[in-house]
Amino acid sequence: MDITGLTINQIKKGLRNKDFSAVELCQCFLDGIKKKNKEIFAFLSVDEQGAILQAEKIDESISKNESLPSLAGVPCAIKDNILVEGLKCTAASKMLENYNAPYNATVVGKLKKEGCVILGKTNLDEFAMGSSTENSAFGPTKNPNDPSRVPGGSSGGSAAAVAADFAPFSLGSDTGGSIRLPASFCGVVGLKPTYGAVSRYGLIAFASSLDQIGPLARNIEDCQTIFNTIKGKDPLDSTSVEFPEKGKEDIKIENLRIGVPKEYFVEGIDPEVEKTIKEAILKYEKMGAKIEEISLPNTEYALAAYYIINPSEASANLARFDGIKYGFSEKNAKNLFEVYSKSRGKGFGKEVRRRIMLGTFALSSGYYDAYYLRSLKVRTLLKNDFENAFKKVDAIFTPISPVLPFKIGEKIEDPLSMYLVDIYTVSVNMAGLPALSLPVGKVGNLPVGLQIIGKPFQENNILEIGKRFYE
Amino acid sequence: MISKKEVEHVAQLARLGLSDNEIKEYQKELSQILDYIEKLGKADISDVIPTSHALEMKNVSRKDEPDLSSAETVKKLLEAAPDLEDNYIKVKSILK
């Protein structure tokens, strides 16, 4: 039996029944990574020693018949912009190539407390800026379904790690689609939680009003288990909130009203993607759900407003990388200004510099009103669009991406064409809503993801809705 | 199209050392992106209040007290600095 293919529940059962030990399980995953990571490059670093040590502790508890935490011995992979104490955290940037995390992110602390075994850190677009994982300073991740294609981004390493059976689940971060797009491109389940549902403490800040950490997994149950483990208010993140706990929601498909926004099925969508998504929607209709065409009238402005707000916040957040406090520092500098400009000029890659430039421009005197303030107002319109839609429907179904996984190198020279890949995902971050990326079919060997958008804090609802697809 | 001078000015504001070639490249790319963003001009934003944050939150504060349990973390944070002397981070002189 291949134990790298087991679900979280199967792992728990197997460990309890002593079908295998935590060390054996961990070793199986490490062997797989050793064999195939060179080709896929999902991991930037693998903590073999640390992982085995964590697994040994679990085995010791099992042998002593001690009560086990809820995820004892379950291996996982963490995106390399989330801090794991003692391990390098590079954000896939030369700027942080030698940076050792001085503490755990809150989500990592929670996973460790529940007994998870951290296998290593996964590749991403530098500082999570990108849609293909090609912007990593250490090389691109390949899509396990077709290694000539991108895995999506920015959490491409986290999605590829799950798709390649390197780990049963992983953590990613989503600022404008960075969990959902790679989940869709790699054919795994990915959840972008409601803004504030999961602590961002220990996540390297990118665009703070949009960033959220979330899980990627092989199936919805595992995704749900991890979400419920990492959610909740954290005194170390003042934007996190107490998750409103409701009783177990029993979703009745025949009472479900699903909205399909007409603005998401216009020119630019790959006809094969459109067909796959429409078939998935039809499946829900056949199960008895009511499908309604809805309108999100300001959709056409979403991407433009996003690509002002995102770089503006990024330019402010990344001001901390100054060559002085930590990270890359240029030794050959005559004065303080040169320490800043040379460290930043050399330490940051092309896309990161592009966004800092764009954001600094949008926030600079004379342009602030025309770009930044206008974008914040458009953000209100986008939020209102969703609020109005959710008066009539319980969930909104859309594609995750207008295109199938593209070839490595296809879009990297044309930044605008890369930004356009995010067209269906950014509005969700602007409105702070939860959204699921669900694999619902394939075109050839390339997966297609359905996006299920819910009302704030209705993660467990959209996860339950997603489960019905496979029944 | 934004001018070369403008790009240089923004790079200076952002403390980003760019080569002449990079300045030219960003001039072209930023212009292209800003052309796309022009479409925001069509959105009807009259009487719309800006949203800077998805959650409606008031200021969140905590007591201003030192957390002595974090001494070990403080040590590690300092160790991450490229140039350190007696627990101080060293910078180039600012005053001439």
Side-chain angles (χ1 to χ4, degrees), chain A residues 301 304 370-371 374 378, chain B residues 36-45:
Chain A
Y301 307 118
Y371 289 105
R374 179 169 279 269
V378 169
Chain B
Y36 176 79
I37 286 165
E38 280 308 309
K39 65 160 66 187
L40 283 180
K42 285 195 294 162
D44 181 8
I45 51 159

Side-chain angles (χ1 to χ4, degrees), chain B:
Chain B
M1 182 121 160
I2 56 174
S3 68
K4 189 168 169 248
K5 229 181 122 189
E6 252 174 320
V7 177
E8 282 166 347
H9 171 65
V10 172
Q12 157 115 12
L13 288 175
R15 304 291 187 265
L16 267 185
L18 300 178
S19 68
D20 269 357
N21 268 343
E22 286 170 329
I23 297 271
K24 271 186 221 150
E25 224 176 297
Y26 282 128
Q27 186 188 357
K28 202 183 100 207
E29 288 172 1
L30 294 181
S31 298
Q32 218 185 0
I33 296 165
L34 290 172
D35 281 349
Y36 176 79
I37 286 165
E38 280 308 309
K39 65 160 66 187
L40 283 180
K42 285 195 294 162
D44 181 8
I45 51 159
S46 44
D47 303 324
V48 175
I49 297 162
T51 298
S52 54
H53 212 264
L55 293 174
E56 280 164 34
M57 286 186 126
K58 297 267 160 58
N59 284 339
V60 181
S61 59
R62 59 164 173 79
K63 287 209 173 101
D64 188 17
E65 289 168 342
D67 176 5
L68 298 174
S69 68
S70 59
E72 191 57 34
T73 307
V74 171
K75 205 175 133 229
K76 284 193 219 162
L77 291 173
L78 280 170
E79 279 166 3
D83 207 356
L84 205 64
E85 196 176 304
D86 301 335
N87 267 356
Y88 290 98
I89 293 171
K90 269 177 88 173
V91 295
K92 298 261 183 212
S93 64
I94 297 163
L95 302 169
K96 293 253 158 61

Side-chain angles (χ1 to χ4, degrees), chain A residues 87-375:
Chain A
L87 300 188
K88 267 191 190 170
C89 193
T90 69
S93 178
K94 294 269 180 215
M95 183 60 89
L96 292 174
E97 193 170 5
N98 298 307
Y99 179 69
N100 280 306
Y103 54 87
N104 279 326
T106 296
V107 288
V108 169
K110 286 185 173 186
L111 291 180
K112 282 188 169 176
K113 193 170 159 251
E114 293 307 324
C116 281
V117 171
I118 292 169
L119 297 167
K121 306 295 296 292
T122 54
N123 201 9
L124 62 149
D125 287 294
E126 184 177 356
F127 284 100
M129 297 177 188
S131 311
S132 68
T133 316
E134 289 167 288
N135 291 330
S136 166
F138 307 114
T141 297
K142 318 281 169 54
N143 191 320
N145 298 284
D146 176 352
S148 71
R149 293 178 188 271
V150 302
S154 67
S155 309
S158 288
V162 173
D165 284 344
F166 292 164
F169 81 90
S170 60
L171 292 186
S173 64
D174 191 315
T175 303
S178 280
I179 289 173
R180 289 161 286 155
L181 181 69
S184 170
F185 277 12
C186 291
V188 302
V189 180
L191 176 70
K192 180 252 169 229
T194 311
Y195 186 84
V198 176
S199 166
R200 293 181 294 113
Y201 179 74
L203 168 69
I204 294 175
F206 167 12
S208 302
S209 81
L210 305 164
D211 298 342
Q212 264 296 278
I213 293 174
L216 297 101
R218 272 191 295 246
N219 61 64
I220 302 180
E221 289 79 6
D222 289 356
C223 193
Q224 191 163 24
T225 302
I226 301 309
F227 169 69
N228 286 314
T229 307
I230 61 174
K231 74 182 183 200
K233 190 175 168 64
D234 175 12
L236 298 171
D237 173 5
S238 62
T239 61
S240 67
V241 294
E242 205 61 67
F243 196 82
E245 294 293 349
K246 281 172 283 179
K248 205 171 174 293
E249 297 262 351
D250 197 17
I251 303 287
K252 284 209 170 56
I253 269 295
E254 53 275 18
N255 296 337
L256 193 67
R257 295 163 306 166
I258 294 169
V260 180
K262 60 175 186 214
E263 291 83 2
Y264 282 59
F265 295 88
V266 290
E267 211 187 306
I269 185 169
D270 182 312
E272 296 283 348
V273 172
E274 182 171 0
K275 196 173 141 229
T276 312
I277 295 299
K278 292 219 158 134
E279 276 167 10
I281 295 171
L282 192 67
K283 191 167 172 186
Y284 278 90
E285 190 168 21
K286 281 185 181 154
M287 285 188 277
K290 204 164 153 245
I291 311 293
E292 277 179 51
E293 186 184 88
I294 58 165
S295 174
L296 300 169
N298 293 289
T299 298
E300 64 168 313
Y301 307 118
L303 195 74
Y306 174 81
Y307 272 102
I308 289 297
I309 291 173
N310 165 310
S312 295
E313 292 189 21
S315 72
N317 265 326
L318 270 61
R320 73 191 66 193
F321 299 100
D322 55 5
I324 287 172
K325 297 187 284 291
Y326 54 93
F328 175 74
S329 182
E330 172 62 41
K331 293 282 168 264
N332 182 22
K334 288 196 296 281
N335 52 40
L336 190 62
F337 186 91
E338 273 197 17
V339 174
Y340 297 149
S341 65
K342 286 189 170 175
S343 301
R344 291 163 63 76
K346 286 188 185 175
F348 290 137
K350 213 167 169 183
E351 177 63 20
V352 177
R353 281 179 285 155
R354 189 181 287 130
R355 299 232 189 160
I356 293 175
M357 290 292 288
L358 190 55
T360 307
F361 173 81
L363 294 174
S364 66
S365 164
Y367 296 104
Y368 181 90
D369 284 2
Y371 289 105
Y372 186 66
L373 190 61
R374 179 169 279 269
S375 299

Side-chain angles (χ1 to χ4, degrees), chain A residues 410-427:
Chain A
E410 193 180 319
K411 294 182 189 288
I412 196 75
E413 295 303 328
D414 181 0
L416 189 59
S417 74
M418 188 74 87
Y419 294 173
L420 285 166
V421 176
D422 300 340
I423 199 144
Y424 299 146
T425 47
V426 295
S427 299

